[in-house]
Amino acid sequence: MNTTFDQIKKLGKLIAEDQHYNHYHDEVMLTRYDSNYLEFKQMPTVSDFQEGEHKLLTFHELYDQTHVKFKFPPNEVLPEQLLTYFTQEKYTVSFLELYYIEASKFKSDGHHSVQVQQVSTDNIEVFLKLNYDEDIHYGLAFAQSKQHYLRNSLHRPNEKMLIALYEGVPAGSVVLYESEESIEIDNLFVTLAMQRKGVGTQIQREIMQMNPTKTIILVADGEDTARLMYQKQGYTFAGFQYEALKTAESV
């Protein structure tokens, strides 16, 4: 299977499109950057970018949103002219890396102290509290809106949530998006107190065992050490994508 960024779930709704970009928006999660952004179809010139920037700024002002985010065509390096503009305008530039692995090729031993459960009506409240305690670091509005999103995920087709317990204590979780050929790992995290105990690895092992014939895909921060772990576990690099973000705090 040819793994591309097209297989990654779009968290926002596509509300507008033209020859230059797609506009994604989420009226429930206005503070989640990855749900509210413009994605360019071709690498823009500075003037093309400024046009899209103006449209997004104007739109976000209607919803009192205090950020603008832009994604660029996968596997294309940002031109120097754009990088100069981003520096002048105090944008944060980052990039994502796309990885995939066949479930049978996952390289890691199990951790018997970690129990992984699928989230259901029986344990949803534990799962929600675990995520709330993690998300509150990004602001109250974000944490509260994400609670609503995660609770509704129980009823969405092709979505699953897993929670990991270390010796009975909630330690980490993940959201999965399913398609016929692949499973996307999203929002995988382990609490600070439970890191380096094999929790994240055991969550992945459970995913592989649940989906032995599918390709597992994920997106990692291109500057995060987590991507090095994925490489050691047997994941294959499949591409990169640049992003630019500006928030009210960075102005």
Side-chain angles (χ1 to χ4, degrees), residues 77-244:
V77 177
L78 292 174
E80 286 297 326
Q81 296 91 333
L82 271 179
L83 289 172
T84 299
Y85 180 77
F86 293 151
T87 299
Q88 293 172 346
E89 297 299 317
K90 299 182 180 179
Y91 276 88
T92 298
V93 177
S94 59
F95 66 97
L96 304 173
E97 292 186 345
L98 178 65
Y99 289 92
Y100 72 92
I101 189 173
E102 302 304 322
S104 61
K105 297 181 179 179
F106 184 67
K107 300 175 183 177
S108 187
D109 297 328
H111 295 265
H112 301 298
S113 296
V114 182
Q115 179 189 13
V116 181
Q117 303 172 349
Q118 184 169 331
V119 176
S120 66
T121 54
D122 295 331
N123 58 4
I124 182 67
E125 299 304 328
V126 177
F127 174 84
L128 289 174
K129 183 180 186 307
L130 180 70
N131 276 265
Y132 183 87
D133 291 344
E134 181 74 11
D135 295 331
I136 194 64
H137 299 102
Y138 303 101
L140 180 61
F142 175 78
Q144 290 178 337
S145 60
K146 190 173 171 186
Q147 291 283 290
H148 177 75
Y149 174 85
L150 290 173
R151 188 180 293 277
N152 287 339
S153 291
L154 269 182
H155 312 292
R156 293 192 189 98
N158 304 320
E159 288 190 26
K160 283 191 175 75
M161 299 173 290
L162 305 179
I163 184 171
L165 308 176
Y166 182 83
E167 297 181 349
V169 178
S173 71
V174 70
V175 177
L176 305 176
Y177 302 116
E178 302 179 301
S179 70
E180 289 186 8
E181 295 183 333
S182 66
I183 302 291
E184 180 190 347
I185 294 176
D186 187 44
N187 199 33
L188 171 62
F189 80 91
V190 176
T191 64
L192 183 61
M194 295 296 181
Q195 291 179 7
R196 300 186 182 277
K197 297 179 182 293
V199 177
T201 298
Q202 189 62 28
I203 290 174
Q204 291 178 78
R205 279 182 60 83
E206 184 69 20
I207 295 168
M208 308 298 167
Q209 292 171 0
M210 290 169 57
N211 306 278
T213 63
K214 291 192 174 184
T215 300
I216 311 301
I217 61 176
L218 60 84
V219 171
D221 186 330
E223 299 174 324
D224 196 336
T225 56
R227 79 191 208 287
L228 302 178
M229 176 188 70
Y230 298 134
Q231 293 168 10
K232 291 179 180 179
Q233 291 171 334
Y235 286 83
T236 298
F237 174 79
F240 65 89
Q241 184 176 33
Y242 275 91
E243 302 180 330

Side-chain angles (χ1 to χ4, degrees), residues 63-78:
Y63 292 87
D64 294 323
Q65 292 174 276
T66 59
H67 82 278
V68 284
K69 181 170 184 174
F70 304 89
K71 296 188 178 186
F72 301 93
N75 305 314
E76 292 190 31
V77 177
L78 292 174

